[in-house]
Amino acid sequence: MANQEPKHSRPKLSDVCVYGLKQEDEFVGIRYNDGDLKVYFPFGYSRPSSDEEQKYRDDILNLVSVLSAYSKESLGVGENRMLNDENVHFPIHAYIHVFNYFLNHGYYVENEPVYKRAKGGKINWSKTIKQVRPQIAGDFPNESVVYLDFVTKKSAHNENELITQIHKFCVYEAYEKIGCLFGFMQPEKAIVPFNAELFVSVLRTRMANTFNEKHLLLFQNMLDIICYMGKREDNRKASFGTNDFEYVWEGLIDHVFGIDDKDKYFPHCTWKIDNDEKSLDWRSEKRTALRPDTIMELTDDCKKIFILDAKYYQYPRTLPGTGSILKQIAYAEFIETQLRDIPDQAGNDIFNAFILPYAAEDGRNVETSYRLENFGYAECDWRKGDAQDAKPYERIYGILLDVRSIMQRHPKSSDKDIAELAAKIDNYSNIMPSSSSLSPSS
């Protein structure tokens, strides 16, 4: 069935995977270039603790899962610019499914009988009675039921063999692109040349006459591969990923720690136009200039609100600038005005934090399940007044979040995780001295 001998040119997954480095174009994902496969992980995603192939394979599949969850197909084209069109159209899940099916079941071989309506042939009376309306012949009381068409078994040897060859073609194509993820199995090449129009027609015809869900799923993934290849001028290159991983980073943090109805905390503006009875209300989602990445709430003795800004920056080389700091304070002040009419709520219950990625070191004493660490805080010089009148949100605390831990657990959240992050911010704010220093501390 397949050549089980090792393919000597097959690279080690440890050589395929690139950890801890930012690419010039900021790409995160999988790139195939004329036989060379590379997998680029985001900054802060640490290398596995052991060199077992399965560890690297798990990392790659996890990366694919995370990128898929935050692609334009998942979140809507208008909501972000996560994965560009050329990248996201690469049907990597179809490639993985087709090769997995081959490893588990071998090549697809048609065993189901195919039926058609015809005047003659080997009649299946059960299907004929259910699917064909009979005609009534003769006059009462000598009426009789007559079938003018029958459901007959179709001889489809050539078509069945072609389906098998199309599967062989898709399996080999998947092996060429991502085969190193699955071991040493080198499949046979199909004997039929690539013909997108013919392959698509045969697959769609078979899907219309197949009721086996497992086979339907296989055919759909084969169809995705064929359609993708048919639209590509250069099939020697393929990629699945994003040049804007910061949107993935924001999405991960929002899903894990954020509330769903954070739009109630969005500041809005209205233009008043001279000599015009109407006002322009800038309240639509697309026109809202200030939108917090994540709002986290903790309800204990009283509600505490945490405004989290996810920054995909390389600490300590890059830190959020003045504009980001001022926006965090503006969010907090707006929320404070929203809470004035609520008993026991005040600005003392609002906190600000930046969340930056990092790779937690093995053996380091990190207490939280998401491996969180404080590194410092930022504040504005002109807001330094009486320390007793200062609001907690006027300091924006820096938190490092281990990338591997959050990507492996996406998008799970729990009250325990939220409480751990809240404690990192709240407890740190209670021990920090009054200072205007913006320097990070370890």
Side-chain angles (χ1 to χ4, degrees):
M1 181 183 74
N3 179 11
Q4 304 260 348
E5 294 299 318
K7 184 180 180 183
H8 297 293
S9 61
R10 174 186 176 272
K12 293 182 179 180
L13 290 185
S14 57
D15 296 331
V16 167
C17 297
V18 180
Y19 294 89
L21 298 175
K22 270 194 171 186
Q23 307 309 305
E24 290 184 2
D25 57 1
E26 301 289 332
F27 181 78
V28 172
I30 298 176
R31 272 181 173 160
Y32 172 84
N33 188 359
D34 200 16
D36 181 35
L37 182 72
K38 287 292 184 183
V39 183
Y40 298 97
F41 288 87
F43 169 77
Y45 197 109
S46 58
R47 186 174 290 273
S49 56
S50 72
D51 287 332
E52 297 177 32
E53 286 275 286
Q54 188 59 45
K55 297 288 185 181
Y56 290 94
R57 188 173 293 113
D58 290 343
D59 277 357
I60 295 172
L61 296 177
N62 176 245
L63 178 64
V64 170
S65 175
V66 170
L67 291 175
S68 300
Y70 296 93
S71 69
K72 287 192 295 188
E73 282 76 5
S74 298
L75 298 180
V77 175
E79 294 188 30
N80 64 77
R81 56 187 183 93
M82 284 259 322
L83 305 181
N84 63 53
D85 291 340
E86 180 182 356
N87 289 336
V88 80
H89 286 169
F90 176 59
I92 191 166
H93 291 88
Y95 280 72
I96 292 174
H97 181 88
V98 166
F99 207 88
N100 263 327
Y101 183 98
F102 164 68
L103 294 179
N104 292 323
H105 307 288
Y107 292 115
Y108 175 81
V109 177
E110 180 59 71
N111 293 317
E112 296 182 26
V114 179
Y115 297 93
K116 63 177 181 178
R117 286 197 181 193
K119 300 295 183 183
K122 187 174 181 179
I123 301 172
N124 184 302
W125 282 107
S126 175
K127 291 184 178 293
T128 299
I129 293 171
K130 292 178 181 178
Q131 299 178 20
V132 180
R133 181 188 294 272
Q135 303 296 317
I136 306 298
D139 298 323
F140 183 82
N142 298 316
E143 296 172 325
S144 60
V145 176
V146 177
Y147 285 91
L148 302 180
D149 286 319
F150 307 94
V151 176
T152 64
K153 188 174 181 179
K154 178 182 177 182
S155 176
H157 174 75
N158 291 337
E159 182 178 318
N160 290 345
E161 176 59 26
L162 183 54
I163 287 283
T164 299
Q165 289 299 319
I166 295 174
H167 186 221
K168 283 187 176 182
F169 182 91
C170 292
V171 168
Y172 195 84
E173 162 68 10
Y175 172 78
E176 286 289 294
K177 295 290 193 299
I178 60 171
C180 68
L181 303 182
F182 296 92
F184 291 94
M185 294 287 288
Q186 183 176 1
E188 305 169 10
K189 279 189 175 181
I191 60 175
V192 295
F194 179 67
N195 185 323
E197 186 175 350
L198 173 63
F199 288 4
V200 168
S201 175
V202 171
L203 285 170
R204 286 178 174 166
T205 299
R206 184 52 56 91
M207 290 174 71
N209 295 281
T210 300
F211 302 97
N212 184 306
E213 292 186 2
K214 181 176 71 175
H215 293 164
L216 279 172
L217 183 59
L218 173 64
F219 295 156
Q220 182 59 61
N221 283 291
M222 291 165 60
L223 189 62
D224 289 345
I225 293 175
I226 299 303
C227 290
Y228 170 77
M229 294 181 63
K231 295 177 182 178
R232 298 279 295 177
E233 294 183 359
D234 185 0
N235 194 44
R236 295 172 302 171
K237 295 182 179 181
S239 60
F240 177 84
T242 176
N243 296 329
D244 299 302
F245 189 78
E246 61 264 30
Y247 293 97
V248 183
W249 182 243
E250 292 171 7
L252 284 166
I253 291 172
D254 196 35
H255 274 90
V256 171
F257 299 106
I259 60 174
D260 293 330
D261 57 341
K262 66 177 179 180
D263 56 333
K264 65 186 178 183
Y265 294 126
F266 289 178
H268 299 282
C269 300
T270 302
W271 268 99
K272 303 294 184 181
I273 308 300
D274 292 341
N275 302 321
D276 195 333
E277 295 180 357
K278 296 181 179 179
S279 297
L280 298 181
D281 187 4
W282 287 50
R283 288 183 174 269
S284 69
E285 289 278 324
K286 293 181 180 179
R287 290 182 173 181
T288 301
L290 295 178
R291 299 181 61 189
D293 288 346
T294 298
I295 299 293
M296 184 177 77
E297 293 180 346
L298 181 68
T299 302
D300 198 356
D301 296 332
C302 64
K303 179 191 284 188
K304 293 183 179 180
I305 297 174
F306 297 81
I307 308 165
L308 309 180
D309 189 7
K311 294 294 188 186
Y312 185 57
Y313 291 170
Q314 292 192 55
Y315 168 85
R317 183 185 306 172
T318 307
L319 294 172
T322 302
S324 296
I325 294 168
L326 291 179
K327 281 197 295 184
Q328 290 300 106
I329 295 175
Y331 294 145
E333 289 180 336
F334 173 77
I335 294 174
E336 185 177 24
T337 62
Q338 300 290 92
L339 300 178
R340 281 175 181 167
D341 297 331
I342 301 177
D344 300 324
Q345 291 292 303
N348 291 331
D349 302 315
I350 303 172
F351 300 84
N352 266 319
F354 292 119
I355 311 295
L356 276 63
Y358 89 124
E361 298 177 7
D362 290 336
R364 194 166 181 176
N365 184 21
V366 181
E367 299 174 356
T368 61
S369 56
Y370 277 111
R371 312 195 77 177
L372 300 157
E373 288 194 20
N374 300 94
F375 68 83
Y377 69 94
E379 65 181 8
C380 299
D381 290 346
W382 60 89
R383 299 185 70 90
K384 290 188 303 179
D386 188 341
Q388 294 181 349
D389 297 330
K391 301 297 178 79
Y393 62 71
E394 293 179 355
R395 282 180 175 169
I396 300 88
Y397 297 93
I399 302 293
L400 297 175
L401 171 57
D402 179 64
V403 179
R404 171 180 283 276
S405 65
I406 195 170
M407 286 184 64
Q408 287 185 333
R409 297 179 58 193
H410 86 100
K412 298 177 181 178
S413 64
S414 68
D415 293 340
K416 179 176 179 293
D417 298 322
I418 291 171
E420 286 179 345
L421 176 55
K424 279 287 180 183
I425 300 170
D426 194 2
N427 295 343
Y428 193 63
S429 69
N430 291 328
I431 64 173
M432 290 304 297
S434 176
S435 171
S436 62
S437 172
L438 299 181
S439 301
S441 58
S442 299

